[in-house]
Amino acid sequence: MRSTLSRRLAASAVLAASVIAASAVPAFAHVTVQPGTATQGDYTAVAFRVPDESDTASTIKLEVSLPADHPVASVATQPLPGWTAATEKTKLATPIKTDDGDEITEAVSKITWTADAGTKIAPGQFQEFRVSLGPLPTDTDKVVFKALQTYDDGNVVRWIEDSKEGQPEPQHPAPVLTLTKAAADTDGHHMTASPAPSGAQAAPPAGNSASSDDSTARIIGIAGIVVGLAGAALGVLGLRRRTDRA
């Protein structure tokens, strides 16, 4: 009887350890836009962060499409050593009116970064591709950038899937820039930042402390459950021994 109880305790400990190990594994990396939020109608500088998720192949090209339904009048790429950036423009169905009364009839619809000879994003590494753009749309709360990541073995990962609230995250979600409304001053006017100069470099994005804190709390919680189960099992074992001695 004691042998059976010991085997059950050992099995429970192995299962608990497996749960903790699975919970500690970091989330699968995606192509993202950093920072992830900006102000409607503002100019901003963002970076498309691209991790290499292959064990054997390196990333040699990134293509980012800008949404045609929410075009941006001004788009400029920041030079990145070892990479060549090219933009494509599309004629707009509805011209964009500027503050000066002019009309913009075409806008950048796609940006392609291609690695020069000897340059790549190797396995386990990441690269950031910086862009200055604006003014951001005022008629939507997000801008979705669909991206294609090409590896030197010919594999192409399509980061184009829509993330829907209340549903599990898709395998290859498209990078999303969340837009917030501009704050109003005491006179009721909207306050926005000054336009970003061409090629301006965004400040390095801070780490996701909220996500880190959540993961830590989850691991601590699971560990507490495991300790509690182990304590209960030991208590049963001690009770069983006292019963046998009686």
Side-chain angles (χ1 to χ4, degrees), residues 121-147:
I121 307 174
Q125 298 180 349
F126 75 94
Q127 182 59 268
E128 291 187 340
F129 301 85
R130 299 183 181 274
V131 179
S132 173
L133 67 167
L136 297 173
T138 57
D139 57 350
T140 181
D141 59 0
K142 66 179 180 180
V143 178
V144 180
F145 302 95
K146 296 187 176 183

Side-chain angles (χ1 to χ4, degrees), residues 197-220:
S198 175
Q201 180 172 345
N208 192 340
S209 58
S211 176
S212 176
D213 291 344
D214 180 69
S215 299
T216 302
R218 185 161 52 247
I219 293 173
I220 293 175

